Amino acid sequence: MNVLSKVLALGALSVIAACSNNDPSALGGGGAGGTGAIVPGSPSDPRSPAYFQQTVGDRVLFAVDQSTLTPQAQTVLQGQAEWLLANPDFVATIEGHADEQGTREYNLGLGAKRANAAREYLISRGVAGNRLKTVSYGKERPIEICSTEDCYAKNRRAVTVLTGSTLG
Amino acid sequence: MMKLLTSLFVGLTLMSAPVYAQNGPLRLELDQGIIEPLPFAVPNFVPDGPSAAQYAQDISRVVAADLTGTGLFREISSNAFISRVSSFEAPVQFADWKAINADALVTGAVNVSGKRLTVRFRVWDVFSGQELGTGLQLAGTTEGWRRMAHKVADQVYSRITGEGGYFDSRVAFVSESGPKDQRLKRLAIMDYDGANVQYLTDSSAIVLAPRFSPTGDRLLYTSYESGSPRIYVLDVGRVKRQELKTQDGTMSFSPRFSPDGRSIVYSLIQGGNTDLWKMDLASGQSTRLTNTPAIETAPSYSPDGSRIVFESDRSGTPQLYVMPANGGEATRISFGAGRYGTPVWSPRGDLIAFTKQNKGRFHIGVMRTDGSEERLLTASFLDEGPTWSPNGRVIMFTRETQGASGRASLYSVDISGRNLRPVRTPDGGSDPSWGPLQN
């Protein structure tokens, strides 16, 4: 649900993006408190990694043992692809993760499949393959640490982490 | 847990009536299901002088701890002793040891001269009044006193069971600290009993699954120091490491040495797909062993080097397969309920230890190499990653507890399923690799 609501917000925020592009003065920094001002690099700046992370959505989730992309995941990745195409200075590393069920070795393999599934989707939407690296963390880097399905579901993820940037 | 163990022993207890025969020399038959530990006494070894006194006492205690730790022996407290052993050469008063029901007696003497430490010892069959084997003298340095104690215990174990010991051995593992979502991992090595921990890496990068070379001189492990998982080999003596170059732009992990130490088998990830490869260490050349869209990992050689057991989900769930060491057709050997992983061939060649996941629980188990006679030895929220003692009698593994405060630690269990015990480490511990007996 969380992922969906972020995706729906994307349409609304793209209006702000358009405004900011037409109004360079709004990117002036300093007066962060001003009405309509967009602080470069802040989540309200549609060209910022923070915006990518929070508004576009930097992660997609998977079912147990699966690396196939759900319709929701495809929607998020579509947004990522559009953002990456609009911001060609960025490259990304897609991190594949698993929950703690399963052996260390198997989960490394599973994390790699998840990262690769996300990468292939972005490539299919036009993002150049040489901008997209993958790495598998298996079950080594959970973000949620409880041992219930609520946490497991959030840990079974592929996260697109922006690395290179010439912004700012 | 209890129910599991009880069911495992039904078949064994029936034939275990003569736990140790007393018609011939004292002998503990390990394959007959030891129910009653064999009582033994280790009076403090006799120091040759005041400088040897502490060593004599410490060595005796480590010998006793090694034997007791197997679960096969029970130490008789010195409070019960009738005889005092004040001279290594004086005749043993067997009646005094019989009276307190000691079946085996270990006597010894310790000499310290500068940094040189000499230990003499004898093992006695109290019932027959005979010596088991012949007295031995070991020489080393005072610094290495624990190793000498382990060597004495290995001799005692071996003379009473007829099998090789495992006390003078080391374990490489991953030392873990910090919460689950920010865990710090360091490669470490220690004596089999948790003493003498030494750290081999810092915690700046994730390190996983060290694997000893057959002679114990090198360790393979996986590190994220380059940003993605890659295989490194570390010279244990010099604590010097080197990356093993696999294909560019790929991830590699789960390495293991061949029994001759000249090549490794490992998992390589290309385009999201994990297959098994083999690398000749002298040339650095890699060759592909499997080629399927499935996750194929956790390879382990048979002791003769002819076959490899590994884990693959080519059937839909992770299961165990055996294939020729150069690749080729793989035969599935696991058919029970649940998912199987991390198979490891025993040093004796007769069994394969594995991790099993079924109905939300994890187990360490053993099966014959054709998959028959599966037995589960443990059960918990998360047990994984078995490694064999040098004599193939004990398995060490990782146990992780549940929830936000979950912590990984090392445990060992006898292959009979008995004697489950924690292995003490300064912090958390995971991914043990049990090295060979030292020279």
Side-chain angles (χ1 to χ4, degrees), chain B residues 314-357:
Chain B
R314 57 177 74 174
S315 73
T317 60
Q319 299 292 337
L320 307 184
Y321 294 79
V322 172
M323 69 177 173
N326 290 317
E329 197 180 336
T331 309
R332 179 171 165 180
I333 60 165
S334 61
F335 291 97
R339 303 146 56 95
Y340 294 79
T342 60
V344 191
W345 219 297
S346 87
R348 298 150 64 102
D350 56 342
L351 295 173
I352 287 168
F354 55 84
T355 304
K356 178 169 177 166
Q357 190 186 353

mmCIF file of all heavy atoms in Angstrom, chain B residues 314-357:
data_model
loop_
_atom_site.group_PDB
_atom_site.id
_atom_site.type_symbol
_atom_site.label_atom_id
_atom_site.label_comp_id
_atom_site.label_asym_id
_atom_site.label_seq_id
_atom_site.Cartn_x
_atom_site.Cartn_y
_atom_site.Cartn_z
ATOM 1 N N ARG B 314 16.990 -26.368 -8.916
ATOM 2 C CA ARG B 314 16.541 -26.698 -10.281
ATOM 3 C C ARG B 314 15.224 -27.480 -10.288
ATOM 4 O O ARG B 314 14.526 -27.478 -11.295
ATOM 5 C CB ARG B 314 17.627 -27.485 -11.027
ATOM 6 C CG ARG B 314 18.067 -28.757 -10.349
ATOM 7 C CD ARG B 314 19.093 -29.534 -11.165
ATOM 8 N NE ARG B 314 20.433 -28.938 -11.162
ATOM 9 C CZ ARG B 314 21.495 -29.514 -11.706
ATOM 10 N NH1 ARG B 314 21.397 -30.692 -12.294
ATOM 11 N NH2 ARG B 314 22.675 -28.932 -11.657
ATOM 12 N N SER B 315 14.879 -28.122 -9.183
ATOM 13 C CA SER B 315 13.604 -28.849 -9.128
ATOM 14 C C SER B 315 12.470 -27.949 -8.655
ATOM 15 O O SER B 315 11.320 -28.375 -8.604
ATOM 16 C CB SER B 315 13.729 -30.031 -8.159
ATOM 17 O OG SER B 315 13.754 -29.545 -6.824
ATOM 18 N N GLY B 316 12.794 -26.709 -8.256
ATOM 19 C CA GLY B 316 11.764 -25.802 -7.741
ATOM 20 C C GLY B 316 12.046 -25.384 -6.323
ATOM 21 O O GLY B 316 11.733 -24.268 -5.926
ATOM 22 N N THR B 317 12.628 -26.276 -5.521
ATOM 23 C CA THR B 317 13.046 -25.917 -4.160
ATOM 24 C C THR B 317 14.498 -26.348 -3.986
ATOM 25 O O THR B 317 14.970 -27.242 -4.698
ATOM 26 C CB THR B 317 12.201 -26.638 -3.086
ATOM 27 O OG1 THR B 317 12.359 -28.055 -3.270
ATOM 28 C CG2 THR B 317 10.744 -26.252 -3.170
ATOM 29 N N PRO B 318 15.220 -25.730 -3.052
ATOM 30 C CA PRO B 318 16.621 -26.117 -2.848
ATOM 31 C C PRO B 318 16.732 -27.576 -2.371
ATOM 32 O O PRO B 318 16.073 -27.960 -1.401
ATOM 33 C CB PRO B 318 17.111 -25.152 -1.764
ATOM 34 C CG PRO B 318 16.144 -24.023 -1.761
ATOM 35 C CD PRO B 318 14.831 -24.599 -2.204
ATOM 36 N N GLN B 319 17.538 -28.345 -3.108
ATOM 37 C CA GLN B 319 17.764 -29.761 -2.786
ATOM 38 C C GLN B 319 19.239 -30.074 -2.985
ATOM 39 O O GLN B 319 19.982 -29.262 -3.537
ATOM 40 C CB GLN B 319 16.909 -30.654 -3.700
ATOM 41 C CG GLN B 319 15.400 -30.432 -3.584
ATOM 42 C CD GLN B 319 14.817 -30.876 -2.253
ATOM 43 O OE1 GLN B 319 15.386 -31.718 -1.554
ATOM 44 N NE2 GLN B 319 13.680 -30.288 -1.878
ATOM 45 N N LEU B 320 19.661 -31.269 -2.560
ATOM 46 C CA LEU B 320 21.066 -31.661 -2.653
ATOM 47 C C LEU B 320 21.302 -32.567 -3.855
ATOM 48 O O LEU B 320 20.491 -33.458 -4.135
ATOM 49 C CB LEU B 320 21.508 -32.383 -1.372
ATOM 50 C CG LEU B 320 21.240 -31.635 -0.063
ATOM 51 C CD1 LEU B 320 21.823 -32.425 1.113
ATOM 52 C CD2 LEU B 320 21.815 -30.228 -0.109
ATOM 53 N N TYR B 321 22.424 -32.327 -4.535
ATOM 54 C CA TYR B 321 22.795 -33.100 -5.719
ATOM 55 C C TYR B 321 24.259 -33.500 -5.624
ATOM 56 O O TYR B 321 25.066 -32.784 -5.019
ATOM 57 C CB TYR B 321 22.594 -32.261 -6.991
ATOM 58 C CG TYR B 321 21.150 -31.922 -7.271
ATOM 59 C CD1 TYR B 321 20.520 -30.889 -6.586
ATOM 60 C CD2 TYR B 321 20.402 -32.639 -8.207
ATOM 61 C CE1 TYR B 321 19.183 -30.576 -6.820
ATOM 62 C CE2 TYR B 321 19.081 -32.329 -8.456
ATOM 63 C CZ TYR B 321 18.467 -31.290 -7.758
ATOM 64 O OH TYR B 321 17.156 -30.990 -7.995
ATOM 65 N N VAL B 322 24.598 -34.628 -6.250
ATOM 66 C CA VAL B 322 25.989 -35.059 -6.350
ATOM 67 C C VAL B 322 26.333 -35.170 -7.827
ATOM 68 O O VAL B 322 25.550 -35.704 -8.615
ATOM 69 C CB VAL B 322 26.209 -36.422 -5.653
ATOM 70 C CG1 VAL B 322 27.615 -36.946 -5.932
ATOM 71 C CG2 VAL B 322 25.989 -36.300 -4.149
ATOM 72 N N MET B 323 27.501 -34.623 -8.204
ATOM 73 C CA MET B 323 27.941 -34.722 -9.599
ATOM 74 C C MET B 323 29.434 -35.066 -9.625
ATOM 75 O O MET B 323 30.124 -34.913 -8.611
ATOM 76 C CB MET B 323 27.686 -33.416 -10.346
ATOM 77 C CG MET B 323 28.560 -32.270 -9.892
ATOM 78 S SD MET B 323 28.257 -30.789 -10.903
ATOM 79 C CE MET B 323 29.262 -29.597 -10.001
ATOM 80 N N PRO B 324 29.936 -35.531 -10.779
ATOM 81 C CA PRO B 324 31.375 -35.766 -10.897
ATOM 82 C C PRO B 324 32.143 -34.454 -10.692
ATOM 83 O O PRO B 324 31.614 -33.375 -10.997
ATOM 84 C CB PRO B 324 31.550 -36.267 -12.337
ATOM 85 C CG PRO B 324 30.193 -36.749 -12.752
ATOM 86 C CD PRO B 324 29.208 -35.911 -12.005
ATOM 87 N N ALA B 325 33.378 -34.542 -10.199
ATOM 88 C CA ALA B 325 34.131 -33.334 -9.831
ATOM 89 C C ALA B 325 34.403 -32.416 -11.016
ATOM 90 O O ALA B 325 34.653 -31.232 -10.830
ATOM 91 C CB ALA B 325 35.446 -33.726 -9.168
ATOM 92 N N ASN B 326 34.350 -32.940 -12.248
ATOM 93 C CA ASN B 326 34.548 -32.074 -13.412
ATOM 94 C C ASN B 326 33.233 -31.657 -14.062
ATOM 95 O O ASN B 326 33.213 -31.223 -15.216
ATOM 96 C CB ASN B 326 35.451 -32.757 -14.429
ATOM 97 C CG ASN B 326 36.876 -32.840 -13.918
ATOM 98 O OD1 ASN B 326 37.391 -31.876 -13.362
ATOM 99 N ND2 ASN B 326 37.488 -33.994 -14.046
ATOM 100 N N GLY B 327 32.150 -31.809 -13.341
ATOM 101 C CA GLY B 327 30.841 -31.464 -13.886
ATOM 102 C C GLY B 327 30.199 -32.691 -14.512
ATOM 103 O O GLY B 327 30.702 -33.800 -14.391
ATOM 104 N N GLY B 328 29.083 -32.470 -15.180
ATOM 105 C CA GLY B 328 28.378 -33.604 -15.763
ATOM 106 C C GLY B 328 27.073 -33.850 -15.046
ATOM 107 O O GLY B 328 26.628 -33.005 -14.255
ATOM 108 N N GLU B 329 26.479 -34.974 -15.320
ATOM 109 C CA GLU B 329 25.132 -35.232 -14.812
ATOM 110 C C GLU B 329 25.101 -35.270 -13.284
ATOM 111 O O GLU B 329 25.924 -35.927 -12.655
ATOM 112 C CB GLU B 329 24.604 -36.550 -15.361
ATOM 113 C CG GLU B 329 23.095 -36.650 -15.206
ATOM 114 C CD GLU B 329 22.563 -37.970 -15.748
ATOM 115 O OE1 GLU B 329 23.229 -38.565 -16.610
ATOM 116 O OE2 GLU B 329 21.499 -38.400 -15.285
ATOM 117 N N ALA B 330 24.143 -34.558 -12.717
ATOM 118 C CA ALA B 330 24.011 -34.508 -11.263
ATOM 119 C C ALA B 330 22.846 -35.382 -10.825
ATOM 120 O O ALA B 330 21.796 -35.411 -11.474
ATOM 121 C CB ALA B 330 23.796 -33.072 -10.810
ATOM 122 N N THR B 331 23.042 -36.096 -9.721
ATOM 123 C CA THR B 331 22.003 -36.953 -9.170
ATOM 124 C C THR B 331 21.449 -36.328 -7.903
ATOM 125 O O THR B 331 22.211 -35.974 -6.997
ATOM 126 C CB THR B 331 22.597 -38.329 -8.791
ATOM 127 O OG1 THR B 331 23.307 -38.814 -9.922
ATOM 128 C CG2 THR B 331 21.512 -39.306 -8.396
ATOM 129 N N ARG B 332 20.140 -36.176 -7.855
ATOM 130 C CA ARG B 332 19.532 -35.631 -6.641
ATOM 131 C C ARG B 332 19.574 -36.680 -5.537
ATOM 132 O O ARG B 332 19.262 -37.847 -5.778
ATOM 133 C CB ARG B 332 18.088 -35.228 -6.943
ATOM 134 C CG ARG B 332 17.364 -34.661 -5.737
ATOM 135 C CD ARG B 332 16.036 -34.079 -6.124
ATOM 136 N NE ARG B 332 15.181 -33.862 -4.966
ATOM 137 C CZ ARG B 332 13.964 -33.357 -5.025
ATOM 138 N NH1 ARG B 332 13.438 -33.020 -6.200
ATOM 139 N NH2 ARG B 332 13.255 -33.190 -3.928
ATOM 140 N N ILE B 333 19.986 -36.267 -4.317
ATOM 141 C CA ILE B 333 20.050 -37.234 -3.208
ATOM 142 C C ILE B 333 19.103 -36.896 -2.066
ATOM 143 O O ILE B 333 18.892 -37.717 -1.184
ATOM 144 C CB ILE B 333 21.482 -37.377 -2.645
ATOM 145 C CG1 ILE B 333 22.003 -36.043 -2.113
ATOM 146 C CG2 ILE B 333 22.438 -37.934 -3.711
ATOM 147 C CD1 ILE B 333 23.244 -36.200 -1.238
ATOM 148 N N SER B 334 18.517 -35.685 -2.033
ATOM 149 C CA SER B 334 17.603 -35.352 -0.929
ATOM 150 C C SER B 334 16.160 -35.438 -1.411
ATOM 151 O O SER B 334 15.814 -34.857 -2.438
ATOM 152 C CB SER B 334 17.896 -33.940 -0.414
ATOM 153 O OG SER B 334 17.701 -32.983 -1.438
ATOM 154 N N PHE B 335 15.357 -36.182 -0.668
ATOM 155 C CA PHE B 335 13.961 -36.370 -1.074
ATOM 156 C C PHE B 335 12.968 -36.193 0.068
ATOM 157 O O PHE B 335 11.780 -36.398 -0.110
ATOM 158 C CB PHE B 335 13.776 -37.745 -1.710
ATOM 159 C CG PHE B 335 14.457 -37.862 -3.051
ATOM 160 C CD1 PHE B 335 15.723 -38.434 -3.150
ATOM 161 C CD2 PHE B 335 13.857 -37.367 -4.200
ATOM 162 C CE1 PHE B 335 16.356 -38.523 -4.385
ATOM 163 C CE2 PHE B 335 14.481 -37.457 -5.433
ATOM 164 C CZ PHE B 335 15.743 -38.038 -5.523
ATOM 165 N N GLY B 336 13.458 -35.850 1.260
ATOM 166 C CA GLY B 336 12.537 -35.675 2.385
ATOM 167 C C GLY B 336 11.741 -34.394 2.240
ATOM 168 O O GLY B 336 11.947 -33.624 1.303
ATOM 169 N N ALA B 337 10.830 -34.160 3.190
ATOM 170 C CA ALA B 337 10.047 -32.923 3.176
ATOM 171 C C ALA B 337 10.960 -31.753 3.471
ATOM 172 O O ALA B 337 11.894 -31.877 4.247
ATOM 173 C CB ALA B 337 8.946 -33.004 4.227
ATOM 174 N N GLY B 338 10.704 -30.604 2.844
ATOM 175 C CA GLY B 338 11.448 -29.394 3.170
ATOM 176 C C GLY B 338 12.531 -29.069 2.178
ATOM 177 O O GLY B 338 12.619 -29.650 1.104
ATOM 178 N N ARG B 339 13.353 -28.099 2.580
ATOM 179 C CA ARG B 339 14.395 -27.568 1.706
ATOM 180 C C ARG B 339 15.754 -27.915 2.302
ATOM 181 O O ARG B 339 15.952 -27.830 3.506
ATOM 182 C CB ARG B 339 14.251 -26.054 1.627
ATOM 183 C CG ARG B 339 12.888 -25.578 1.156
ATOM 184 C CD ARG B 339 12.490 -24.279 1.833
ATOM 185 N NE ARG B 339 13.481 -23.249 1.642
ATOM 186 C CZ ARG B 339 13.414 -22.334 0.660
ATOM 187 N NH1 ARG B 339 12.390 -22.300 -0.146
ATOM 188 N NH2 ARG B 339 14.360 -21.446 0.523
ATOM 189 N N TYR B 340 16.687 -28.253 1.439
ATOM 190 C CA TYR B 340 18.010 -28.672 1.890
ATOM 191 C C TYR B 340 19.074 -27.717 1.362
ATOM 192 O O TYR B 340 18.985 -27.247 0.228
ATOM 193 C CB TYR B 340 18.318 -30.070 1.367
ATOM 194 C CG TYR B 340 17.448 -31.169 1.926
ATOM 195 C CD1 TYR B 340 16.161 -31.367 1.445
ATOM 196 C CD2 TYR B 340 17.922 -32.005 2.939
ATOM 197 C CE1 TYR B 340 15.361 -32.376 1.948
ATOM 198 C CE2 TYR B 340 17.130 -33.025 3.445
ATOM 199 C CZ TYR B 340 15.846 -33.201 2.948
ATOM 200 O OH TYR B 340 15.060 -34.203 3.450
ATOM 201 N N GLY B 341 20.102 -27.473 2.184
ATOM 202 C CA GLY B 341 21.185 -26.602 1.737
ATOM 203 C C GLY B 341 22.500 -26.938 2.404
ATOM 204 O O GLY B 341 22.580 -27.841 3.257
ATOM 205 N N THR B 342 23.542 -26.201 2.023
ATOM 206 C CA THR B 342 24.902 -26.286 2.560
ATOM 207 C C THR B 342 25.364 -27.707 2.903
ATOM 208 O O THR B 342 25.734 -27.983 4.033
ATOM 209 C CB THR B 342 25.071 -25.382 3.813
ATOM 210 O OG1 THR B 342 24.157 -25.808 4.818
ATOM 211 C CG2 THR B 342 24.839 -23.941 3.469
ATOM 212 N N PRO B 343 25.377 -28.609 1.893
ATOM 213 C CA PRO B 343 25.865 -29.961 2.167
ATOM 214 C C PRO B 343 27.391 -29.960 2.346
ATOM 215 O O PRO B 343 28.089 -29.204 1.667
ATOM 216 C CB PRO B 343 25.490 -30.719 0.892
ATOM 217 C CG PRO B 343 25.531 -29.675 -0.186
ATOM 218 C CD PRO B 343 25.025 -28.404 0.473
ATOM 219 N N VAL B 344 27.879 -30.770 3.275
ATOM 220 C CA VAL B 344 29.331 -30.889 3.480
ATOM 221 C C VAL B 344 29.688 -32.362 3.651
ATOM 222 O O VAL B 344 29.130 -33.046 4.509
ATOM 223 C CB VAL B 344 29.805 -30.113 4.731
ATOM 224 C CG1 VAL B 344 31.336 -30.050 4.753
ATOM 225 C CG2 VAL B 344 29.236 -28.709 4.749
ATOM 226 N N TRP B 345 30.607 -32.815 2.814
ATOM 227 C CA TRP B 345 31.027 -34.207 2.845
ATOM 228 C C TRP B 345 31.884 -34.436 4.084
ATOM 229 O O TRP B 345 32.768 -33.634 4.379
ATOM 230 C CB TRP B 345 31.845 -34.522 1.592
ATOM 231 C CG TRP B 345 31.555 -35.872 1.022
ATOM 232 C CD1 TRP B 345 31.773 -37.068 1.655
ATOM 233 C CD2 TRP B 345 31.005 -36.185 -0.268
ATOM 234 N NE1 TRP B 345 31.390 -38.100 0.829
ATOM 235 C CE2 TRP B 345 30.920 -37.585 -0.349
ATOM 236 C CE3 TRP B 345 30.581 -35.408 -1.351
ATOM 237 C CZ2 TRP B 345 30.433 -38.240 -1.481
ATOM 238 C CZ3 TRP B 345 30.099 -36.049 -2.474
ATOM 239 C CH2 TRP B 345 30.023 -37.455 -2.536
ATOM 240 N N SER B 346 31.662 -35.537 4.809
ATOM 241 C CA SER B 346 32.444 -35.803 6.021
ATOM 242 C C SER B 346 33.858 -36.224 5.639
ATOM 243 O O SER B 346 34.083 -36.788 4.576
ATOM 244 C CB SER B 346 31.793 -36.898 6.858
ATOM 245 O OG SER B 346 32.235 -38.168 6.440
ATOM 246 N N PRO B 347 34.829 -35.949 6.527
ATOM 247 C CA PRO B 347 36.218 -36.329 6.224
ATOM 248 C C PRO B 347 36.377 -37.846 6.101
ATOM 249 O O PRO B 347 37.302 -38.318 5.442
ATOM 250 C CB PRO B 347 37.020 -35.782 7.409
ATOM 251 C CG PRO B 347 36.034 -35.370 8.430
ATOM 252 C CD PRO B 347 34.715 -35.179 7.766
ATOM 253 N N ARG B 348 35.480 -38.632 6.721
ATOM 254 C CA ARG B 348 35.548 -40.086 6.592
ATOM 255 C C ARG B 348 34.919 -40.546 5.286
ATOM 256 O O ARG B 348 35.057 -41.716 4.920
ATOM 257 C CB ARG B 348 34.829 -40.751 7.768
ATOM 258 C CG ARG B 348 35.452 -40.429 9.112
ATOM 259 C CD ARG B 348 34.415 -40.426 10.236
ATOM 260 N NE ARG B 348 33.820 -41.721 10.452
ATOM 261 C CZ ARG B 348 34.168 -42.530 11.455
ATOM 262 N NH1 ARG B 348 35.088 -42.147 12.304
ATOM 263 N NH2 ARG B 348 33.579 -43.684 11.597
ATOM 264 N N GLY B 349 34.182 -39.663 4.621
ATOM 265 C CA GLY B 349 33.608 -39.996 3.321
ATOM 266 C C GLY B 349 32.266 -40.694 3.379
ATOM 267 O O GLY B 349 31.633 -40.913 2.348
ATOM 268 N N ASP B 350 31.796 -41.028 4.586
ATOM 269 C CA ASP B 350 30.598 -41.869 4.679
ATOM 270 C C ASP B 350 29.305 -41.077 4.770
ATOM 271 O O ASP B 350 28.234 -41.596 4.465
ATOM 272 C CB ASP B 350 30.720 -42.816 5.883
ATOM 273 C CG ASP B 350 30.967 -42.068 7.196
ATOM 274 O OD1 ASP B 350 31.386 -40.881 7.139
ATOM 275 O OD2 ASP B 350 30.752 -42.662 8.253
ATOM 276 N N LEU B 351 29.373 -39.821 5.198
ATOM 277 C CA LEU B 351 28.155 -39.053 5.451
ATOM 278 C C LEU B 351 28.235 -37.663 4.820
ATOM 279 O O LEU B 351 29.326 -37.157 4.546
ATOM 280 C CB LEU B 351 27.935 -38.876 6.966
ATOM 281 C CG LEU B 351 27.668 -40.130 7.794
ATOM 282 C CD1 LEU B 351 27.657 -39.769 9.276
ATOM 283 C CD2 LEU B 351 26.345 -40.787 7.396
ATOM 284 N N ILE B 352 27.065 -37.095 4.620
ATOM 285 C CA ILE B 352 26.971 -35.699 4.198
ATOM 286 C C ILE B 352 26.133 -34.959 5.244
ATOM 287 O O ILE B 352 25.022 -35.385 5.571
ATOM 288 C CB ILE B 352 26.332 -35.592 2.793
ATOM 289 C CG1 ILE B 352 27.350 -36.079 1.746
ATOM 290 C CG2 ILE B 352 25.898 -34.153 2.493
ATOM 291 C CD1 ILE B 352 26.773 -36.309 0.376
ATOM 292 N N ALA B 353 26.708 -33.899 5.793
ATOM 293 C CA ALA B 353 25.961 -33.057 6.734
ATOM 294 C C ALA B 353 25.277 -31.961 5.929
ATOM 295 O O ALA B 353 25.762 -31.567 4.869
ATOM 296 C CB ALA B 353 26.903 -32.441 7.759
ATOM 297 N N PHE B 354 24.144 -31.478 6.410
ATOM 298 C CA PHE B 354 23.401 -30.481 5.642
ATOM 299 C C PHE B 354 22.561 -29.612 6.571
ATOM 300 O O PHE B 354 22.400 -29.916 7.760
ATOM 301 C CB PHE B 354 22.484 -31.179 4.618
ATOM 302 C CG PHE B 354 21.555 -32.173 5.241
ATOM 303 C CD1 PHE B 354 20.345 -31.778 5.800
ATOM 304 C CD2 PHE B 354 21.896 -33.520 5.299
ATOM 305 C CE1 PHE B 354 19.493 -32.700 6.401
ATOM 306 C CE2 PHE B 354 21.045 -34.449 5.897
ATOM 307 C CZ PHE B 354 19.861 -34.037 6.447
ATOM 308 N N THR B 355 22.033 -28.525 6.000
ATOM 309 C CA THR B 355 21.044 -27.683 6.661
ATOM 310 C C THR B 355 19.695 -28.029 6.065
ATOM 311 O O THR B 355 19.577 -28.166 4.844
ATOM 312 C CB THR B 355 21.333 -26.194 6.387
ATOM 313 O OG1 THR B 355 22.660 -25.902 6.798
ATOM 314 C CG2 THR B 355 20.348 -25.305 7.131
ATOM 315 N N LYS B 356 18.699 -28.187 6.911
ATOM 316 C CA LYS B 356 17.351 -28.474 6.400
ATOM 317 C C LYS B 356 16.360 -27.482 6.998
ATOM 318 O O LYS B 356 16.434 -27.165 8.177
ATOM 319 C CB LYS B 356 16.944 -29.897 6.763
ATOM 320 C CG LYS B 356 15.535 -30.244 6.305
ATOM 321 C CD LYS B 356 15.283 -31.716 6.431
ATOM 322 C CE LYS B 356 13.847 -32.045 6.051
ATOM 323 N NZ LYS B 356 13.686 -33.499 5.855
ATOM 324 N N GLN B 357 15.462 -27.030 6.151
ATOM 325 C CA GLN B 357 14.440 -26.076 6.570
ATOM 326 C C GLN B 357 13.095 -26.713 6.295
ATOM 327 O O GLN B 357 12.816 -27.116 5.158
ATOM 328 C CB GLN B 357 14.604 -24.807 5.739
ATOM 329 C CG GLN B 357 13.801 -23.633 6.192
ATOM 330 C CD GLN B 357 13.934 -22.468 5.217
ATOM 331 O OE1 GLN B 357 14.731 -22.517 4.284
ATOM 332 N NE2 GLN B 357 13.154 -21.444 5.424
#
